[in-house]
């Protein structure tokens, strides 16, 4: 664990030095602009716009970072051969992977929390106060983080054996497919083909389900989110990421470096 | 486990290539050898011989098709054993967003060292490899030789018992090479085992207790540098100058090589007197006669030549 921690901190440091956190400036500007421009609309709508815009931005920015940095996590170290000296140290390959994963998740957590703080500031600016119902935003932000964790795990898996470009393709394809798993389960073809339907249904349970993490509408309207969903999503993300990391470790532990 | 620090048995490695990686190319074939505890062992061979392949197998970066190896009595798959080995990769490269001090501190974290101990060792290593003044510079701004020094520092930072260096002198200026030689000798004095690969035969001759020569993935010779070369003289060299045009000894002079005014002629010991007589008859002034001692270089060249000849023969016979 100590070793994975060292890798994680170094990954975080790399992200910071590569100016990944600069995206926060962009987010801050977006929030400021939104807060100023919605000023003319009636108070209820104003609040909703800020909330949905803020959450969408947090999600999109997080996804971009998770995918674009995630796919290079392992590949870059193999390609640049920075991994050679490291793996000769007493560190197991899965410890390295876990560290890489943890480092990027840490980066995303810091980044996401900073953006969440920005969102609350923008909200405070337009409403001049915060209500307990706004706490739902925190849960929405937590769900975004859970989703990002899963995306990082997938990107890391692809990073172990393919180029960043392909890994971006695979990760985004899985992400997009994962937004439609419910539809895959209920969808009936114009000319129903039972075999096809069974296949789609099976696939829908294998694919990562990203739909459940989206509570944007509820959060924007200040509706409560059931506690069961919080537990379910937490468990789902942890379990799915765990399995993906396990597969990644199995792939990577056998891999010959160039 | 008395004696051997590194035991290699029948180590074999194939690299896949071609369409869908279906074909295999054998890069190392049944390597069996031992490196004694406390010795400096030189691993010699031409480009593509399999030196780096062997070293990468030893430190677990790649996995063998067959065979086993043990370091300090432990199988190479045992990761805890890595605490006792140091490794310098070929053309090392490190995180370019870190400074030399940071990267060394990072690597030190994988060993069981206290923070204070880490800091102290990093300082000592920076000094040892001559990077104190560059310690605060990010590695992206480092030259090749400076990176090589960082690589050496991280390899010995944790006081390993076995040090494995893949071409430690490459990319270094003469001063740097001298410093690396001193570091290797210092490691030897401290009782460490050192295995290093090199193309520079003089370095190997100067530093190594034993060398192993590998060509085409096969170990072709192993022993003390003087021992594998063979002690018997390879012939005689006559150095002479010509007063006239030497027409009446044209045959023998034609075999000599001319540098400046001087000629060098290599003959076997049996031919020596006949050659001297002929040269004298042609009015040559003999400057010196010396025994040609076989060098590691000759040995090396002979092996490679033999290998090429064999490869050509195989090609011709189409097998
Ligand atoms: N990743 C790889 N994929 C395919 N073939 C490889 C790979 N690495 C090495 N080889 C092949 O294995 C053989 C041995 O290579 P190796 O790097 O061990 O040589 P070397 O003795 O270290 O040479 P050099 O002195 O040039 O460093 C070469 O024929 C090389 O082409
Ligand atoms: Mg090499």
């Amino acid at each position: 664990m100590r070793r994975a921690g060292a890798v994680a901190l170094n990954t975080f440091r790399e992200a910071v030095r590569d100016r990944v956190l600069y995206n926060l400036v962009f987010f801050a500007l977006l929030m400021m602009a939104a807060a100023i421009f919605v000023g003319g609309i009636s108070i209820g709508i104003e609040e909703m716009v800020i909330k949905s815009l803020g959450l969408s931005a947090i999600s999109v920015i997080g996804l971009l970072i998770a995918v674009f940095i995630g796919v290079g996590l392992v590949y870059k170290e193999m390609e640049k051969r920075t991994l050679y000296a490291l793996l000769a140290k007493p560190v197991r390959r899965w410890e390295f992977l876990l560290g890489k994963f943890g480092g990027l998740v840490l980066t995303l957590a810091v980044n996401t929390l900073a953006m969440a703080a920005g969102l609350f500031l923008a909200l405070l600016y337009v409403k001049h106060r915060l209500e307990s119902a706004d706490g739902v935003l925190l849960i929405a932000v937590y769900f975004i983080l859970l989703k990002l964790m899963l995306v990082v795990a997938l990107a890391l898996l692809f990073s172990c054996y393919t180029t960043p470009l392909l890994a971006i393709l695979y990760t985004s394809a899985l992400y997009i497919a994962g937004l439609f798993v419910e539809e895959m389960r209920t969808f009936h073809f114009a000319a129903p083909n039972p075999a096809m339907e069974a296949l789609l249904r099976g696939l829908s349970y294998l694919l990562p389900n990203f739909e459940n993490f989206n509570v944007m509408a509820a959060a924007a309207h200040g509706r409560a989110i059931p506690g069961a969903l919080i537990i379910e999503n937490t468990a789902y993300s942890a379990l799915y990421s765990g399995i993906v990391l396990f597969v990644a470790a199995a792939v990577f532990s056998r891999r010959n470096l160039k | 486990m008395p004696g051997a620090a590194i035991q290699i048995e029948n180590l074999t490695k194939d690299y896949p290539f071609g369409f869908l990686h279906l074909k295999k190319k054998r890069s190392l074939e049944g390597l069996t050898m031992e490196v004694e505890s406390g010795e400096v062992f030189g691993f010699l061979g031409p480009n593509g011989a399999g030196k780096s392949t062997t070293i990468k197998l030893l430190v677990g970066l790649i996995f063998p098709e067959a065979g086993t190896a043990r370091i300090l009595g432990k199988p190479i798959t045992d990761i805890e054993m890595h605490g006792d080995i140091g490794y310098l990769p070929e053309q090392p490269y490190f995180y370019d967003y870190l400074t030399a001090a940071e990267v060394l501190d990072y690597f030190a974290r994988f060993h069981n060292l206290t923070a204070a101990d880490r800091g102290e060792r990093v300082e000592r290593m920076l000094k040892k490899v001559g990077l104190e003044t560059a310690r605060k510079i990010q590695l992206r701004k480092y030259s090749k030789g400076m990176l090589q020094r960082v690589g050496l520092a991280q390899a010995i930072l944790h006081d390993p018992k076995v040090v494995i260096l893949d071409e430690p002198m490459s990319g270094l200026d003469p001063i740097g090479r001298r410093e690396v030689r001193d570091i290797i000798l210092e490691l030897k004095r401290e009782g460490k085992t050192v295995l290093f690969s090199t193309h520079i035969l003089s370095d190997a001759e100067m530093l190594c207790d034993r060398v192993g020569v590998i060509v085409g993935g096969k170990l072709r010779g192993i022993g003390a540098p003087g021992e594998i070369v063979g002690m018997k003289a390879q012939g005689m060299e006559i150095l002479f100058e010509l007063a006239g045009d030497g027409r009446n000894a044209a045959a023998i002079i034609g075999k000599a090589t001319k540098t400046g005014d001087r000629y060098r002629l290599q003959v076997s010991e049996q031919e020596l007197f006949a050659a001297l007589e002929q040269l004298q008859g042609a009015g040559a002034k003999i400057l010196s006669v010396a025994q040609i001692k076989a060098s590691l270089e000759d040995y090396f060249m002979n092996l490679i030549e033999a290998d090429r000849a064999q490869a050509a023969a195989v090609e011709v016979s189409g097998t």
Side-chain angles (χ1 to χ4, degrees), chain B residues 52 90 166-167:
Chain B
S52 300
E90 191 174 24
D166 202 346
E167 291 185 29

Side-chain angles (χ1 to χ4, degrees), chain A residues 257-258, chain B residues 15-16 25 27 45-53 56 90 167 199:
Chain A
L257 297 193
K258 273 193 300 188
Chain B
Y15 282 112
K25 176 183 182 301
S27 298
N47 291 130
K51 304 181 294 294
S52 300
T53 300
K56 284 194 267 181
E90 191 174 24
E167 291 185 29
H199 303 120

Side-chain angles (χ1 to χ4, degrees), chain B residues 95-218:
Chain B
Y95 308 95
D96 48 19
Y97 50 91
L98 297 182
T99 66
E102 284 169 340
V103 88
L104 291 183
D105 180 73
Y106 175 55
F107 284 129
R109 280 169 194 269
F110 296 94
H111 301 287
N112 294 314
L113 303 171
T114 62
D117 194 11
R118 259 194 347 249
E120 188 267 323
R121 274 166 197 260
V122 168
E123 288 311 312
R124 198 148 41 85
M125 286 305 137
L126 286 171
K127 199 173 211 166
K128 192 167 200 160
V129 299
L131 288 176
E132 307 138 279
T133 51
R135 52 182 315 218
K136 291 243 168 76
I137 299 175
Q138 287 197 345
L139 296 185
R140 68 174 95 240
K141 294 175 190 148
Y142 268 43
S143 72
K144 191 169 145 207
M146 287 161 86
L147 283 175
Q148 187 81 13
R149 288 161 191 256
V150 176
L152 193 62
Q154 63 79 30
I156 56 177
L157 162 105
H158 51 293
D159 213 16
K161 296 196 183 84
V162 174
V163 182
I164 300 175
L165 310 169
D166 202 346
E167 291 185 29
M169 329 268 182
S170 95
L172 293 178
D173 57 24
I175 305 163
R177 296 207 345 225
R178 172 72 169 275
E179 285 168 354
V180 171
R181 281 205 295 270
D182 289 344
I183 289 176
I184 292 178
L185 289 174
E186 195 180 323
L187 289 169
K188 182 181 161 66
R189 270 198 302 280
E190 290 166 3
K192 320 277 194 217
T193 308
V194 181
L195 166 73
F196 75 95
S197 75
T198 182
H199 303 120
I200 305 163
L201 300 169
S202 60
D203 283 336
E205 256 173 331
M206 204 180 306
L207 290 169
C208 297
D209 298 308
R210 289 195 306 148
V211 296
V213 180
I214 183 169
V215 182
K218 291 186 201 130

Side-chain angles (χ1 to χ4, degrees), chain A residues 66-141:
Chain A
V67 173
F68 280 90
I69 297 190
V71 294
L73 279 179
V74 180
Y75 184 84
K76 220 170 80 189
E77 291 226 14
M78 288 200 283
E79 204 55 17
K80 288 196 164 180
R81 289 181 294 112
T82 49
L83 198 50
Y84 285 50
L86 182 64
L87 287 185
K89 304 286 169 206
V91 58
R92 288 181 185 80
R93 293 198 179 185
W94 65 261
E95 291 173 323
F96 166 76
L97 282 188
L98 194 64
K100 281 274 146 187
F101 172 76
L104 185 49
V105 170
L106 176 69
T107 310
L108 285 165
V110 169
N111 199 51
T112 306
L113 289 181
M115 287 193 284
L119 173 56
F120 278 107
L121 279 180
L123 213 53
L124 195 60
Y125 173 82
V126 293
K127 301 208 294 183
H128 306 295
R129 68 197 158 84
L130 292 176
E131 301 152 298
S132 59
D134 296 330
V136 179
L137 281 180
L138 280 180
I139 297 172
V141 169

Side-chain angles (χ1 to χ4, degrees), chain B residues 275-289:
Chain B
L276 284 175
E277 262 169 43
Q278 278 185 46
L279 286 172
Q280 262 172 337
K285 184 177 164 204
I286 309 289
L287 297 170
S288 73
V289 177

